[in-house]
Amino acid sequence: MKIELVTNTTSDVSVLFLTKDEIKKSKYKTTLEKANFEAAQDSICFLYEQDVLFVGIEEKNDDSLRTATTVAIQTLKSSNAKSASFNVAKNSIKPIVEGLILGGYEFNKYKSETKKPALKRIDLECRNIKTLMSDFEEAVIVAEATCFTRDIVNTIPEDIHPETLAKLAKNLAKENALECDILDEKALKKEKCLSMLAVGRASRHESQLIHLAYKPKKKAKKVVTLVGKGLTYDSGGLSLKPATSMVTMKMDKAGACAVLGIIKAISELKLDIEVHAFVGAVENMIGGDAYKPDDVLTTRSGQTVEVRNTDAEGRLVLCDVLDYAQEKIKADYIFDFATLTGACMVALGQYTTGVMGHSNALKHAFFDAANDSGELIGTLPFNRHLKKLLKSDIADTSNVSSKPYGGAITAGLFLDKFIKDENKDKWLHFDIAGSAYTEAPWDCNVYGATGAGVRLMSSFIKNLK
Ligand code: BES
Ligand code: ZN
Ligand code: ZN
């Protein structure tokens, strides 16, 4: 499907967004009233004879337009229209492009037959192409990077495991002129990433630490380090997940995939910001060689960890990757993305990314990025009482809390133990356990991966000075 900015459209169908109040002023008023169309958000009225598709919107804001465009594109794709047009202006181009690309997204890799939609072309009709071009191109880059992330997350664990994820990252580096360094198990041993290696030990695939770097042509205004949890499958390990909780755990690599999507977007936007993406790619499996509850692991930082639950494996991977990333790159910001805890969904619901860290100013900046990007975030507060719950009687720390409440925060506090003092205010942890994957459509998300983090972080990085 081709999306183009035009000043004069010749498309089969025109899509018109209407608020309740606008019905009365519409030239289609009588027909719309006959159809009992009340312009409720996301409701549609397709006037086939007139080649007009009406979609109701509550207000003319980004959220309304993005979901209404999602409904429109899905309706158009199931119709026989070959082309359609939308009116766009400076303040509506981004949500409309997002609705088209993200709401029209399909993942058909494993379907033997897919119906090809008749729809081939979308015209975005505007007064002046020049004034909209850069907003249009930017929205397309970020939305396509989000789909890139979705595709990898949706790919099954037989196809994406640590070694193939590393290969995929290498390809991305080649295509986008990124620097690429990959540590296999031999290199990881040399680097003393023994905690990360323990998690992957029962897998038939070698764990990989992936490092990609985007360095702008001009002097970088800021340096951003991104770290992603890349559990290509999380069976829970010997603390095995129940059957129903294990389904969907191919999505436990969503943090890694987000980080790859972000560096893809930033490199294509050609921003003057240096970005480093570090991914811990590991498969958490069972077997005679598996790491065990009761083991004590020595992390790269030297701190020891008592394993009390092998399903709390993400933090055991991230602690080594965070330590490595901080030693390698002196960054202005360090952000990690991880499908870290089911508890984050209990705390915030499944749509909202949990944000944790020490700097209130930095957390605050992300509320602007969330508003701008349309992603949802909520902050979860650290406190010293929860921190004490990670105490171990046998090692420096336990990998799980001794109490059942506040699990998203205690996981964040575990990671905090591996953030060096000089980096405390530069670091935020994003728990995307709920927001990264969905089994029911919402907003511009369809079944499967959402690409959470890509729009949010692209917006933040784009506004760095
Ligand atoms: N990958 C899971 C977290 C998760 C759960 C992500 C559901 C998405 C949906 C993580 O590795 C995990 O299993 N965490 C445990 C931690 C517990 C053992 C302390 C959890 O959330 O139950
Ligand atoms: Zn787990
Ligand atoms: Zn996990």
Side-chain angles (χ1 to χ4, degrees):
M1 195 179 66
K2 216 163 100 191
I3 308 175
E4 270 178 323
L5 277 176
V6 301
T7 44
N8 267 310
T9 181
T10 52
S11 68
D12 295 349
V13 178
S14 305
V15 179
L16 297 176
F17 297 120
L18 268 191
T19 62
K20 215 180 191 124
D21 299 336
E22 285 169 339
I23 295 182
K24 294 178 219 99
K25 296 175 228 153
S26 167
K27 69 173 180 185
Y28 297 97
K29 177 176 181 280
T30 328
T31 322
L32 290 170
E33 279 174 358
K34 261 191 213 159
N36 199 20
F37 180 69
E38 292 179 338
Q41 176 69 41
D42 302 340
S43 63
I44 58 165
C45 183
F46 205 153
L47 306 182
Y48 294 94
E49 294 287 319
Q50 288 94 333
D51 295 318
V52 188
L53 170 63
F54 286 100
V55 188
I57 51 171
E58 225 157 59
E59 278 180 72
K60 284 203 168 127
N61 61 26
D62 283 15
D63 288 341
S64 285
L65 285 171
R66 194 187 322 106
T67 56
T69 308
T70 297
V71 172
I73 189 69
Q74 289 171 358
T75 307
L76 290 165
K77 279 175 101 174
S78 60
S79 80
N80 278 327
K82 292 197 183 66
S83 57
S85 66
F86 293 71
N87 273 312
V88 294
K90 187 90 180 156
N91 62 355
S92 63
I93 181 98
K94 186 157 79 99
I96 290 176
V97 168
E98 287 169 347
L100 290 171
I101 296 177
L102 299 173
Y105 172 84
E106 285 177 51
F107 183 74
N108 293 324
K109 191 171 173 153
Y110 302 107
K111 296 243 192 211
S112 43
E113 263 176 55
T114 50
K115 233 180 83 200
K116 284 233 153 56
L119 193 69
K120 293 282 176 306
R121 196 185 90 227
I122 298 287
D123 288 348
L124 300 178
E125 201 174 20
C126 61
R127 290 237 180 90
N128 186 342
I129 293 179
K130 263 194 198 154
T131 56
L132 291 189
M133 198 41 118
S134 72
D135 291 301
F136 170 68
E137 285 174 344
E138 186 182 305
V140 170
I141 286 173
V142 176
E144 282 180 349
T146 306
C147 293
F148 168 83
T149 293
R150 286 180 177 182
D151 279 344
I152 318 171
V153 177
N154 284 331
T155 301
I156 61 168
E158 269 308 286
D159 291 342
I160 294 283
H161 48 72
E163 291 141 349
T164 48
L165 189 62
K167 217 177 190 175
L168 188 150
K170 233 185 217 165
N171 280 341
L172 174 66
K174 214 171 177 183
E175 275 170 28
N176 285 33
L178 309 172
E179 290 175 17
C180 176
D181 186 26
I182 289 170
L183 279 66
D184 61 8
E185 290 198 345
K186 194 168 154 225
L188 284 167
K189 253 177 226 140
K190 226 166 143 190
E191 279 294 337
K192 297 198 168 68
C193 293
L194 301 180
S195 174
M196 173 173 169
L197 280 168
V199 175
R201 213 165 57 205
S203 168
R204 63 194 221 276
H205 303 292
E206 267 199 42
S207 299
Q208 314 276 328
L209 197 161
I210 303 161
H211 176 194
L212 298 185
Y214 163 67
K215 293 183 178 159
K217 294 234 160 66
K218 280 198 219 156
K219 188 182 157 10
K221 287 190 255 175
K222 287 277 163 16
V223 178
V224 178
T225 283
L226 306 168
V227 173
K229 169 177 172 182
L231 263 289
T232 59
Y233 201 69
D234 180 12
S235 69
L238 290 178
S239 314
L240 196 66
K241 285 185 185 291
T244 49
S245 319
M246 205 185 296
V247 184
T248 72
M249 277 305 138
K250 65 173 184 184
M251 61 77 97
D252 215 19
K253 60 185 179 298
C257 303
V259 154
L260 296 178
I262 298 162
I263 201 165
K264 174 175 159 70
I266 302 306
S267 60
E268 289 169 14
L269 292 170
K270 301 189 171 65
L271 299 181
D272 296 335
I273 307 288
E274 183 171 318
V275 179
H276 293 265
F278 293 90
V279 162
V282 183
E283 189 182 52
N284 187 20
M285 299 300 281
I286 55 170
D289 197 23
Y291 83 123
K292 300 169 283 293
D294 285 351
D295 277 346
V296 172
L297 309 176
T298 303
T299 64
R300 187 179 189 275
S301 72
Q303 295 175 75
T304 58
V305 182
E306 176 191 0
V307 178
R308 294 184 70 89
N309 190 320
T310 61
D311 197 12
E313 82 300 334
R315 60 198 79 180
L316 298 174
V317 172
L318 287 174
C319 65
D320 280 350
V321 183
L322 280 166
D323 190 68
Y324 178 81
Q326 289 172 92
E327 193 182 290
K328 280 274 156 194
I329 303 298
K330 296 285 157 258
D332 297 296
Y333 300 101
I334 302 164
F335 303 125
D336 74 76
F337 284 85
T339 47
L340 207 59
T341 65
C344 189
M345 277 185 269
V346 177
L348 296 171
Q350 57 169 317
Y351 311 110
T352 303
T353 295
V355 183
M356 285 153 260
H358 299 285
S359 165
N360 287 329
L362 193 50
K363 281 184 268 186
H364 195 83
F366 271 91
F367 280 104
D368 294 334
N371 272 337
D372 179 55
S373 66
E375 286 197 39
L376 299 173
I377 63 161
T379 54
L380 295 171
F382 285 162
N383 69 54
R384 64 190 193 283
H385 308 292
L386 284 170
K387 193 170 184 171
K388 282 191 218 144
L389 303 180
L390 288 166
K391 217 175 98 39
S392 162
D393 290 312
I394 185 169
D396 297 341
T397 188
S398 165
N399 81 324
V400 289
S401 164
S402 56
K403 292 263 163 62
Y405 305 119
I409 302 176
T410 48
L413 284 165
F414 178 92
L415 298 181
D416 175 48
K417 290 175 186 279
F418 300 88
I419 303 296
K420 297 182 196 302
D421 283 341
E422 67 268 27
N423 291 331
K424 291 287 185 200
D425 282 335
K426 300 177 179 170
W427 167 69
L428 289 180
H429 159 57
F430 294 84
D431 193 330
I432 55 170
S435 54
Y437 198 85
T438 183
E439 293 189 276
W442 62 278
D443 200 299
C444 56
N445 301 306
V446 296
Y447 178 93
T450 63
V454 178
R455 283 184 292 148
L456 176 75
M457 193 51 72
S458 300
S459 165
F460 176 82
I461 295 178
K462 190 186 77 194
N463 289 313
L464 281 176
K465 292 197 173 72

